[in-house]
Amino acid sequence: MSDNKKFSGTIKKIFTSVGKLLTFNITTIMFGALLLYMIITVVLYATSDHVTSYQVTAGPLSKNPVCTALALRSEEIVTAESSGYIEYYATEGMEVRQAGSVYSIASEKQDNEPVTLSDDQIEEVRSSAEQFSYAYNSNNFYDTYSYKYQIRGTILQAAKETEDSVEAAGGSSDTADREETSAGTDDDSDAVAGNTADKVISVGNQDVYTAPEAGIVVYSSDGYEEKTADTLTENDFNQMSYQKENLITGGKIEKGDSVYKLITSENWTLMVPLTDKMAASLAGRESIQVKFVKDGESQNGSLSIINVGDQKVAQIELVNGMTRYAEDRFLEVELVINTQSGLKIPVSSIVEKEFYTVPREFLTLGDNGNSQGFIRETSSGDGDSTEFVEAAIYRQVDSQGNEITAETQDDSGGLCYVDMDTLNEGDVLLKPDSGKIFTVGKKDNLQGVYNINQGYAVFRQIKILDQNEEYCIVDQGTSYGLRAFDYIVRDGSSVSEEEILYSGSN
């Protein structure tokens, strides 16, 4: 009995040992195979040629320069004719006609009366406040004071419109009493409205002063009012030393104090300091488009390059749009130099590929009416026959070498560029419905890049619109061309067409 147990134990140990051995061997084999695969992959990657890819983007060749421009205008400072307490009638940036009421001076401080506005007028004030809040810059805190009086003038003007409408409807006894006690005649009322050319009109205990000529009212001064392009100095462009004085006051003013500034012409000038490189890029231009960063508006102006001391400056003459920026001496502007837009690619990616050129008159459609190609003559045991060869047409040009467009598609003459893998040199092509033949053999080159979206190099044709030393802009929508966000080989000379590539980062 004991011998049987001993034999059974021995057999069990043998099977256990075999099982452990097989398990160990299978695990080892699987691990070894995985390790070998990894080694082979690393060796292949290390010994393969790598290319750097570039993702095609759409846009201009380079960004337009954004510069700080100094604005010059036809400006004059208007001073107080007498001493007293001032009330403002015109708001900041308001256009006034000649003899339009701007402000009044009284010997005593005037009490403010409650004003009732309509819902529309309240909405106008609220909208104006939202716009000011959106554009507010803490570096120009003095604008807050100007805006305070602008809002006050807007409210007073709205109140006057309400009062005028009441008078038109028959008026009230209170209004009539005010008219009788305002030391006024009909002539005086017209004077306040700006219907006389007199500079000052007495109304009650106030002297109302009018604009000497039509213009835009601005309640600040900075010492640049009399400067011209000929009198500027290099230091005038230094914003660190620029100081702007707010002319609005709620107290008493003295005779001869500056009250407001009047801009009398819509024509104005932007003076833009330039680097030597920018000056060279603008040389020869007589006009330029300017885009204002403040509000995104653009306009064209005449351009000339002058010297202010040792500084080259672009002098841009503008004939409109000044009103929007009447309060600004320095403006951030974008000089729109690069107007050509397309697909941006590196110059290093450009390669040339050879194509057969075939007269366009030999191009025809296949039996399905969709595919393009040629009728090629073939030889067989039964004699000469023909076959239709579908072809990829990379480019078509007219007899003058210009690209075929939808408008010139039906014009006769010209050539088409055919991939050399489609036809063979010496092939004889037949013109449809004609006995005319053409023997394939003439070649020409097209510029392009290698597209690697699928992991191998594919030639894509390009049409260069503009270029500099590093990049170029190519046309969008070219047949067998590029699209935005395609990946191409940055160095086109480093690969061959249809080569499988390991792509690096951009």
Side-chain angles (χ1 to χ4, degrees), residues 81-115:
E81 294 289 334
S82 61
S83 302
Y85 294 91
I86 188 170
E87 291 287 335
Y88 301 96
Y89 290 163
T91 60
E92 177 88 358
M94 177 179 175
E95 294 185 47
V96 295
R97 61 178 179 271
Q98 184 178 11
S101 301
V102 181
Y103 70 100
S104 68
I105 294 180
S107 57
E108 298 180 356
K109 192 173 182 62
Q110 304 295 301
D111 294 329
N112 294 327
E113 297 182 0
V115 174

Side-chain angles (χ1 to χ4, degrees), residues 71-77 222 224-226 261-264 326 329:
L72 299 179
R73 313 176 184 88
S74 298
E75 304 166 309
E76 60 179 89
I77 297 293
D222 54 14
Y224 284 73
E225 286 77 19
E226 296 183 0
K261 177 166 62 182
L262 190 66
I263 304 175
T264 57
R329 181 63 66 188

